[in-house]
Amino acid sequence: MYIEQALVGNNRWWRVLLTTLATAGIFIINFITYLLMPKEAVDASYDVMKSWPSSIALLVNLIPFVILLALLFTMVYTLHQRNILSLTTTRKQVDFKRIGFSLALVMGLNLASFAFSYACDSSTISWNFHPIPFLVLCLISIMLFPFQIGFEEFLFRGYLMQQIGILAKNKWVPLLITSVVFGVFHSANPEVAKMGFGVMFFYIGTGFLLGIMTLMDDGLELALGFHLGNNLIAALLVTSDFSALHTDALFKLSGKVPPSESLQEMVISMVVLYPIILLTFAKKYQWHHWKSKLFGTLNKTTRINHD
């Protein structure tokens, strides 16, 4: 019933278009600019970003998401005449235990995977700990990453999945579209330029995972926890010269590592860890009726409000 919750709002086409352009515009502009800019100009912009202190670069990248999340909430509440809870979950209140469990599971699995890789071969990973910069990184990450991942989840798995679902009158179309678009909008990240477009398989696969979580659990809580845990690990644990954000993480991946090898590790990690995560959630939260929840049609008994 997660998608159906949008049916109680005001879904006139111009309201949906305005909200989408106002909130997703940053991704659209970024993607179009990336496609139109010459490779030399793209590389130069990445080099400029790398020349900034890492904490400043992180702040510049994350602060806009605070504004965008507030804008999305405001437009859903005022234009669509819906409360934010309907954008978040089918439960009577947000289940913060679900968010915490998902965050802990993802961070634990990623730490275990890193520890295994480090034990097998640490030649390409160097210790990068500097107390003050790392403390600053922790503070920025804890304060601002919730807004960044919150905006992406509320936009893609929340607003867009619900609105596309209303239009398509089923659940598999919004799952497919939001997952692919989520991946495509990350194509301007510097690691794509270094590793090749094969890394899009990872982004789109992650989009599918988050979408499946949302539909099966009838809420964003698990997706929010996963996304936050994943981004915190990415920022705090290991950095590299070709990552989306170069941070003062605990470890640094050596430049000797071929990008293709890093891509292979990402894909293997996804193929191994993602099924474990889904099965864990399915068992803990008693997920049933997979076919109807992922491929079923909408319940049309809910009334739609119009002008």
Side-chain angles (χ1 to χ4, degrees):
M1 297 296 293
Y2 176 71
I3 290 178
E4 286 89 335
Q5 293 200 128
L7 293 171
V8 300
N10 192 320
N11 296 302
R12 296 286 291 188
W13 68 268
W14 65 268
R15 295 173 187 260
V16 176
L17 180 61
L18 181 60
T19 302
T20 301
L21 291 177
T23 55
I26 186 171
F27 292 104
I28 298 171
I29 294 171
N30 195 37
F31 178 66
I32 293 175
T33 302
Y34 175 75
L35 290 179
L36 296 180
M37 284 178 65
K39 184 178 184 302
E40 295 76 14
V42 174
D43 291 340
S45 66
Y46 290 153
D47 289 339
V48 170
M49 186 70 72
K50 288 180 182 178
S51 68
W52 297 354
S54 59
S55 58
I56 299 299
L58 189 61
L59 283 170
V60 169
N61 275 275
L62 294 182
I63 286 178
F65 290 104
V66 179
I67 301 169
L68 288 169
L69 182 60
L71 178 63
L72 177 60
F73 283 174
T74 301
M75 297 187 81
V76 167
Y77 186 76
T78 57
L79 271 185
H80 293 280
Q81 299 167 3
R82 293 171 52 195
N83 60 51
I84 305 306
L85 184 65
S86 70
L87 192 67
T88 311
T89 184
T90 58
R91 286 166 274 277
K92 293 181 179 180
Q93 59 186 14
V94 178
D95 189 343
F96 289 99
K97 289 184 179 180
R98 270 176 156 81
I99 297 176
F101 178 77
S102 180
L103 185 150
L105 176 65
V106 170
M107 293 189 74
L109 287 174
N110 276 284
L111 286 171
S113 176
F114 172 78
F116 177 78
S117 299
Y118 189 79
C120 292
D121 181 13
S122 61
S123 61
T124 59
I125 303 173
S126 59
W127 182 242
N128 189 57
F129 177 64
H130 304 287
I132 300 302
F134 182 73
L135 177 60
V136 173
L137 171 63
C138 288
L139 292 174
I140 294 174
S141 299
I142 292 170
M143 288 189 298
L144 295 181
F145 268 122
F147 292 97
Q148 182 254 325
I149 66 95
F151 173 69
E152 292 189 7
E153 289 310 308
F154 278 105
L155 176 64
F156 288 102
R157 257 67 59 181
Y159 182 77
L160 292 178
M161 180 172 281
Q162 288 181 334
Q163 293 299 332
I164 295 171
I166 291 173
L167 183 64
K169 298 181 176 61
N170 62 45
K171 299 173 183 179
W172 69 268
V173 169
L175 173 61
L176 174 64
I177 292 177
T178 56
S179 300
V180 172
V181 172
F182 177 76
V184 169
F185 279 170
H186 283 79
S187 61
N189 285 5
E191 61 262 31
V192 177
K194 293 291 184 179
M195 299 182 190
F197 275 89
V199 76
M200 298 305 298
F201 177 73
F202 174 79
Y203 285 127
I204 294 174
T206 301
F208 271 107
L209 174 73
L210 293 167
I212 291 170
M213 286 181 196
T214 301
L215 291 177
M216 289 303 303
D217 202 52
D218 281 322
L220 284 178
E221 291 99 334
L222 297 180
L224 288 167
F226 173 95
H227 204 155
L228 180 57
N230 193 65
N231 282 25
L232 286 175
I233 286 291
L236 300 176
L237 186 61
V238 184
T239 188
S240 68
D241 292 332
F242 51 83
S243 57
L245 291 173
H246 182 69
T247 66
D248 295 300
L250 292 175
F251 296 90
K252 184 175 182 180
L253 195 62
S254 169
K256 297 181 294 182
V257 179
S260 59
E261 184 176 321
S262 297
L263 172 60
Q264 184 180 22
E265 290 181 358
M266 290 173 67
V267 173
I268 291 174
S269 176
M270 180 181 69
V271 171
V272 173
L273 295 183
Y274 285 10
I276 293 175
I277 291 169
L278 278 180
L279 290 173
T280 301
F281 288 153
K283 183 175 179 60
K284 180 174 177 61
Y285 298 112
Q286 298 296 302
W287 288 352
H288 299 293
H289 311 296
W290 288 70
K291 184 177 179 180
S292 63
K293 285 205 169 187
L294 299 180
F295 301 100
T297 57
L298 297 194
N299 183 341
K300 300 178 183 179
T301 60
T302 308
R303 182 173 62 88
I304 305 176
N305 294 331
H306 290 298
D307 288 343

